[in-house]
Structure formats: C-alpha cells, structure tokens
Amino acid sequence: MRHLEGAYALIFKSQHYPNELIACKRGSPLLLGVKELNEDICNGSAFSDSKFVSKDGAPKELFLSSDANALIEHTKKVLVIEDGEVVHLKDGGVSILKFENDKGRRGSGLSRPASVQRALSVLEMEVEQINKGKYEHYMQKEIHEQPESLTTTMRGRLICGGSCKSQTVLLGGLKDHLKTIRRSRRIVFIGCGTSYNAALAARPILEELSGVPVTMEIASDLLDRQGPIYREDTTVFVSQSGETADTLRALEYALENGALCVGITNTVGSAIARHTHCGVHINAGCEIGVASTKAYTSQIVVMAMLALAIGADTISNQARREAIIDGLFDLPSKVREALKLDQEMKELAKLLMNEQSLLVFGRGYNYATALEGALKVKEVALMHSEGILAGEMKHGPLALVDETLPIFVIATHDACFSKQQSVIHQLHARKGRLIVMCSKGDAASVCPGESCRVIEVPHVEDCLQPVVNIVPLQLLAYHLTVLRGYNVDQPRNLAKSVTTE
Ligand code: UD1
Ligand code: BG6
C-alpha cells in the first residue's frame, strides 16, 4: 500500500500463509460482510478484533465484496472499509488496521498501523430486490418496475397540505442548505453516462424555478480541464452507484475549491453520499442491469423536486410549481401507461434489428431523452446510435439522411413542438425513414398522411415528459438486444460501476 498509486481494492492470499486473507483499498469500494451463524451474539455491538473472535467460539462467515448487492443474500451486516485500512482474516478471526495518512510512507520510517474499532452497519435492502422475479433479465425487470421505484423515490417527499391546496416538496437532506443553494453564483451538475443525461433533462426546470445559472460538466472533462469551480458555486454530484471514480475525483476537486457539494445517489453509505456536504438519496432500489433505467427516471424526479424546493420561496412561479407537483403525483400511472407500449416496441425492434445505425433527434427537455435513448441502444444492443440536438440538424446530421437510415424523432407536446414539426417536415422532404414519438392524439399533426411510424405516449407536465419518453426507448433497446442475441444485463466490455479512471 505504501508503494501503490491510484485507486484499488485488493485481496491477497498466499500459500505461505494458509487460512489467511489480507484485503485493503484506496478509492475503490470494499465491504466486509459478517454473517453470525448464531445471530444473537454480538447483535448491534461494536466491531473490533478482540470482540470478533467471539469468546464462545461461535462460528462466523466473512465476505469481502465491492458491492452490497453481492452480500445481501448472505448477510445484511457489513463494515464499510475505509481508505488506508487493512483487513486481516486469520483462522476465522478478523482484525482491522489503519495506516495514518502519511506515516509509514517510504523515507519517513516504518510506523505500525493502529488497530481500529468500528460499528457494523445494517443494509436496508431485501434479497427479493436482487431476484429477477417473473422477468428474464434484470434490465427488463427494472424497466417494468419504474412505476413502483418512482413512487418510492417520492414517498414522504411530496407534502399535500389541507385539501391539497398547499403542496410542497420536502427533501430532508437539503432543507438546511436551501438558502445557501439559492444564494450561490451558479449550480454545476457533474456526472458520467446516464447520470449526466438525467441532470441534463432536469437542467431547464432548475434554471426556470431557481433563477440561478445551471451548467453541466462531464466529470472526466472537468478534471482534464481543471475547470474553474468557486466557493460561491453549488456543485451537484449525480451518481447511481455513488462510487464512479471520475465523479468522486471531481467531488474531491470541488471540495478543495470550497464549493458546496450536494450528492444525488442511489446508494446509502457510498463514497459520494459520505463525502458530500448534503444530498438526496433517490431510493430507487438496487439496480443490477449494467444499463441504468429506473435510476435514470428517479434521478430526474429527484432533480425536479430539487428545483421545486429551491424555487419554493418565489410567489410568481407558485402555479407552475403546483402543476408540477400534481404531475409528480400522476407520474407513476403515466409511466405504467407508457409501459403498455412493450409489444409495439418489440415489433419495432424486429424491423430495426439488422440495421447498422439509429439516430435519435430531440430538443429542449428531450435533448436528454435523445442522448439517453441512443446510449441505451448503443450500450446493450451494440448498435451504433447517436442522440442529436434537433436544433443542430442543419449543421451536419442532415447530410446523413437518406431512405435507409432509421431516424427516431421525439416530438411530444411542449414549447418546442412546432419546431420539431418543422424538423419532421425537413427530414421527410429528404425521404428520411422516420419513427416519431408524439403525445397521445397528436399523430395526425406530426405525421400527415401516415408517412411515418408513430409512437404515442401519455402527456405529462413538460419537465416530467423525459421520464415518460425514455420508457419506449428503454424497451426498444431491450428488445433489440434480445433479438440480436447479446447479453442484456452485462454488455460487452462495460461495468456497472466504473471505479477506475
Ligand atoms: C431520511 C432517512 C430515511 C427516513 C427519513 C425520515 C437515511 C438514509 N434516510 O431520509 O430512512 O425515512 O429521513 O425523515 O437515513 N446525503 C448526503 N449526500 C448524498 C445523499 C444524502 O450527504 O449524496 C445526506 C443528506 O444530506 C441527509 C442524509 O444523507 O443528511 C440522508 O439523506 P436522504 O436519505 O435523502 O434523507 P431523507 O429523505 O430525509
Ligand atoms: C457506468 C454504467 O458506465 O457508469 C452506466 O454502465 C452509468 O450505466 C455510469 O450511467 C455512471 O455511473 P453512476 O453510478 O455514477 O451513475
């Protein structure tokens, strides 16, 4: 450990030391699961090496893992190993030693690591959450459980006053920090992959309701540029796992620069949840498929609630806020309705399964939907796909349009609708092969003369529409993957948590 640089979580086993294991970590996550074979002993007790080798010799099983999901079928009792700690398992006993930060480094003499005493924590999840249930794949299960995961995300956070007149949002983890956020010079969203896309979907409503400029950063790019982050900034770290290396490094960078750091994560106890000043757990339940689906929609909902909470002190936007809160209450049922498109998306997948490429056009709230839909198709169906900002169509993408290339256009009803109608006309004039997603009842106005395939989705408040609109694209990516014969839950070369830079 004194010699290693970078992030790692390592376990060592040697034939010279039978019945011993050594584990250590820096940066990457590592959990020690403790299964008391007689659960009554040591219940809720502090955890130390002396106590662990229980006096009555009660047997224990110990597990080392980088992810709680792998432990839950064995035990709920875990110890989150911290950076610089060394776990030593020997003859059924365990000791945990900690190296002081700089002590013991090369050149400064050898100091012995100190023994530490830690409390076990209890995982708040059930083993059923990691079963596939009636579904064939985790991704399929996670797409279909979105009405429930969204309900859990909002549970206890949408407050309805007497006769539902005074509706508000309560985010327990942020209530003491809202004033500071409102006063900040700008809000900077930082994330990678799907989490970045979720933040992009929420950006317009946050700008509208907070009045604070909102900028977007892909974590690795912020670090590459060492982009400016100031004390007056609020930085928001969006990460399903809470362990993504680039996002975590960007968090360290923002902390060094004195910004207020807010986390939005799905994993209680994750590095981002622990190291941010405050934040919100999205409570979407554990997500196992590598391609993020239900975490994406829950992230958008939490960020919409964040916008509502920040904007709650402004009278002028009260009607708008109430409309959004009403929309949030209805959202799970609208997503359930969108899930009924499953068979239609399977039929579409059959038509597209042998294509080389798929373009997805969106704008406004649904630029993020275009990026995220294309990312899903790319990462699981292994088909080239690109999300394109429709406003940029004439600056390059239009050259690709011909009779063969399938183009998915998102044209649900919002302030950008007429512009999207004009995009459809222009693509149509170039004989584009169009699939148009529109709000229920709009088919005739987006696609005169049945010249293209239309997918109709339920209409919701504009800022929540990305939550509904992504559902058919998730289903399309899923069915394309199955039909093309690829691994849905563990796509080639990809990992659920990218814990190295
Ligand atoms: C919390 C409890 C929840 C309980 C509710 C009752 C936890 C994890 N949640 O939920 O079980 O039902 O109170 O009022 O105990 N945080 C960060 N960074 C992050 C995410 C969260 O610092 O990235 C902090 C928050 O600022 C907060 C704490 O973690 O202090 C819990 O956050 P969250 O679970 O979102 O809070 P509540 O919804 O209030
Ligand atoms: C990986 C996952 O690339 O990390 C993606 O495969 C995910 O699904 C991305 O969007 C970011 O992860 P997180 O945990 O920070 O949201």
Side-chain angles (χ1 to χ4, degrees), residues 13 39 88 145 225 252 303 363 429 432 439 462 468 496:
K13 179 180 173 182
E39 288 283 10
H88 182 196
E145 71 191 13
R225 295 180 354 253
E252 285 162 13
M303 287 183 269
R363 73 194 313 149
S439 303
D462 55 6
V468 170
K496 181 73 184 156

Side-chain angles (χ1 to χ4, degrees), residues 257-449:
N257 286 286
L260 174 71
C261 297
V262 180
I264 294 183
T265 170
N266 198 23
T267 315
V268 177
S270 60
I272 289 176
R274 282 180 285 130
H275 296 140
T276 39
H277 296 119
C278 56
V280 189
H281 291 116
I282 66 168
N283 299 338
C286 64
E287 191 181 67
I288 294 177
V290 165
S292 183
T293 50
K294 63 174 182 170
Y296 175 73
T297 45
S298 284
Q299 283 169 334
I300 299 177
V301 160
V302 160
M303 287 183 269
M305 290 196 286
L306 171 70
L308 290 164
I310 297 175
D313 66 336
T314 317
I315 302 284
S316 58
N317 60 28
Q318 191 171 343
R320 169 80 159 139
R321 274 188 285 118
E322 283 178 5
I324 298 170
I325 294 177
D326 284 343
L328 284 170
F329 276 114
D330 279 350
L331 196 55
S333 67
K334 300 286 183 176
V335 168
R336 195 168 288 121
E337 216 176 308
L339 283 165
K340 292 188 185 144
L341 290 164
D342 193 30
Q343 194 52 35
E344 205 173 322
M345 297 320 287
K346 192 172 176 180
E347 296 303 319
L348 180 60
K350 282 182 192 158
L351 277 181
L352 299 179
M353 65 180 280
N354 295 317
E355 296 300 333
Q356 298 281 329
S357 186
L358 174 71
L359 299 186
V360 189
F361 279 68
R363 73 194 313 149
Y365 285 107
N366 288 294
Y367 173 38
T369 312
L371 292 185
E372 176 59 11
L375 179 59
K376 288 296 86 115
V377 171
K378 193 179 328 191
E379 67 182 337
V380 285
L382 314 190
M383 179 191 285
H384 170 256
S385 187
E386 232 181 290
I388 293 173
L389 185 65
E392 283 287 285
M393 179 180 73
K394 291 183 182 163
H395 303 290
L398 202 52
L400 290 171
V401 179
D402 63 12
E403 288 156 29
T404 58
L405 177 69
I407 302 177
F408 204 111
V409 185
I410 302 160
T412 40
H413 220 100
D414 60 17
C416 298
F417 183 60
S418 59
K419 286 186 182 172
Q420 276 308 70
Q421 278 181 306
S422 137
V423 163
I424 293 167
H425 278 299
Q426 293 175 56
L427 291 171
H428 198 56
R430 281 148 189 100
K431 301 199 166 43
R433 198 177 146 196
L434 302 187
I435 304 142
V436 179
M437 184 193 291
C438 67
S439 303
K440 267 206 176 122
D442 272 354
S445 53
V446 290
C447 194

Side-chain angles (χ1 to χ4, degrees), residues 192-195 238-244 247 272 287 289-292 299 375-376 379 494-498:
C192 306
T194 292
S195 293
V238 189
S239 171
Q240 187 280 132
S241 62
E243 302 287 353
T244 300
T247 313
I272 289 176
E287 191 181 67
V290 165
S292 183
Q299 283 169 334
L375 179 59
K376 288 296 86 115
E379 67 182 337
L494 298 180
K496 181 73 184 156
S497 297
V498 182

Side-chain angles (χ1 to χ4, degrees), residues 148-161:
E148 290 76 37
S149 54
L150 290 169
T151 305
T152 319
T153 297
M154 293 186 274
R155 183 166 295 135
R157 290 169 166 171
L158 294 181
I159 311 293
C160 219

Side-chain angles (χ1 to χ4, degrees), residues 49-64:
D49 47 348
S50 57
K51 273 207 177 148
F52 186 79
V53 186
S54 55
K55 290 178 187 108
D56 65 351
K60 289 168 186 62
E61 265 185 290
L62 300 167
F63 303 85
L64 287 159

